[in-house]
């Protein structure tokens, strides 16, 4: 009789245990939400098809051209322009950027790294904005050194920072690294491209530290998403 009671007890326990264990098991961990994909080049370009001009006149793309064809256009949360790309190799002296590779090399940039050194054009994707003039003052549009920009060329998007300033009458310049990442010849003596580059710079933005490209990419992607959604 005691054996029968023991067997019955064991049978009952075996029947109850799986469900008890199941209820005691921790719930599966929630899967992290999939990050929203950054806008494509086509999505960004679609928001720059028109131009609400805010520059007082237009810029030349090169010193040796006479026509002024590039306007600064205003948008919700950003300004943009469409130009060429000349290669800026200023800043830290490297094997790619020095007096021998670039006839116009300067060992400084308008904005500096967090350690006080000039930027490294061969390593850091950055763009050049025209120095303030009667045509346009970049600061009046909420732009500053270290500001976040998206540069689009041939179906590619590069996220860069504002790293240097250039002539007051000319626009369309970016660092060696920016050109290289976009598939443009980065050689300061014979590189660049004559057209087809769109620059979108996001108002009141800052990448910190300026030399951290990973931060520039994450910040730029977030701002680009907002730009597409709000324009």
């Amino acid at each position: 009789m005691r054996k029968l009671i023991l067997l019955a007890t064991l049978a009952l326990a075996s029947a109850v245990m799986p469900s008890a264990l199941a209820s005691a098991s921790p719930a599966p961990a929630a899967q992290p939400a999939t990050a929203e994909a950054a806008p494509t080049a086509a999505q960004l370009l679609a928001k720059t098809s028109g131009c609400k001009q805010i520059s007082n006149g237009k810029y030349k793309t090169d010193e040796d051209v006479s026509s002024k064809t590039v306007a600064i256009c205003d948008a919700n949360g950003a300004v943009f322009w469409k130009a060429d790309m000349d290669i800026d190799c200023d800043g830290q002296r490297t094997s790619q950027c020095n007096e021998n590779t670039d006839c116009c090399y300067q060992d400084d940039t308008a904005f500096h790294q967090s350690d006080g050194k000039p930027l490294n054009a061969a390593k850091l994707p950055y763009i050049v904005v025209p120095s303030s003039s009667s045509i346009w003052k970049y600061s009046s549009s909420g732009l500053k050194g270290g500001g976040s920009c998206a540069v689009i060329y041939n179906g590619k998007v590069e996220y860069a920072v504002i790293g240097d300033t250039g002539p007051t009458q000319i626009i369309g310049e970016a660092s060696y690294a920016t050109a290289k990442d976009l598939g443009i010849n980065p050689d300061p003596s014979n590189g660049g491209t004559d057209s087809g580059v769109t620059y979108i710079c996001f108002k009141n933005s800052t990448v910190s530290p300026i030399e951290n490209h990973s931060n520039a990419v994450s910040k730029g992607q977030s701002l680009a998403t907002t730009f597409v959604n709000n324009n």
Side-chain angles (χ1 to χ4, degrees):
M1 183 68 178
R2 293 170 67 179
K3 288 183 179 180
L4 290 175
I5 293 173
L6 179 59
L7 289 172
T9 301
L10 291 173
L12 179 61
S14 63
V16 171
M17 189 174 295
S19 60
L21 288 174
S23 63
S25 299
Q31 296 299 313
T34 302
E36 185 176 358
T40 64
Q43 288 173 317
L44 288 167
L45 291 177
K47 302 299 181 177
T48 65
S49 57
C51 179
K52 179 183 177 184
Q53 183 172 331
I54 56 171
S55 55
N56 182 28
K58 297 182 178 181
Y59 289 94
K60 299 191 297 183
T61 55
D62 291 292
E63 184 66 41
D64 58 356
V65 299
S66 57
S67 58
K68 299 179 178 181
T69 59
V70 181
I72 304 298
C73 308
D74 194 34
N76 190 355
V79 297
F80 64 89
W81 58 93
K82 300 180 180 183
D84 63 342
M85 182 183 288
D86 296 325
I87 307 302
D88 188 321
C89 234
D90 294 339
Q92 294 184 37
R93 189 176 284 100
T94 62
S95 60
Q96 300 92 339
C97 297
N98 56 66
E99 296 89 344
N100 297 321
T101 62
D102 183 1
C103 66
C104 307
Y105 172 76
Q106 299 180 45
D107 62 359
D108 200 5
T109 49
F111 308 109
H112 292 170
Q113 295 180 164
S114 55
D115 60 4
K117 294 180 180 179
L119 302 182
N120 186 332
K123 180 180 178 181
L124 180 68
Y126 68 76
I127 74 158
V128 180
V129 293
S131 296
S132 297
S133 71
S134 59
I135 300 176
W136 178 57
K137 295 180 179 180
Y138 63 87
S139 59
S140 66
S141 293
L143 306 188
K144 55 187 173 182
S148 176
C149 302
V151 188
I152 303 114
Y153 176 76
N154 199 25
K156 295 180 180 179
V157 182
E158 173 71 302
Y159 291 98
V161 293
I162 296 173
D164 206 357
T165 56
T168 58
Q169 305 290 318
I170 301 172
I171 201 168
E173 189 175 6
S175 68
Y176 182 106
T178 306
K180 182 179 178 181
D181 287 354
L182 286 170
I184 296 170
N185 179 2
D187 191 315
S189 63
N190 59 25
T193 184
D194 290 335
S195 63
V197 185
T198 298
Y199 302 80
I200 303 172
C201 288
F202 304 107
K203 298 175 181 178
N204 305 310
S205 64
T206 305
V207 174
S208 182
I210 190 174
E211 68 270 20
N212 190 317
H213 183 53
S214 295
N215 287 355
V217 171
S218 58
K219 182 93 170 182
Q221 288 178 336
S222 175
L223 292 169
T225 299
T226 301
F227 172 77
V228 168
N229 291 337
N230 291 349
N231 284 278

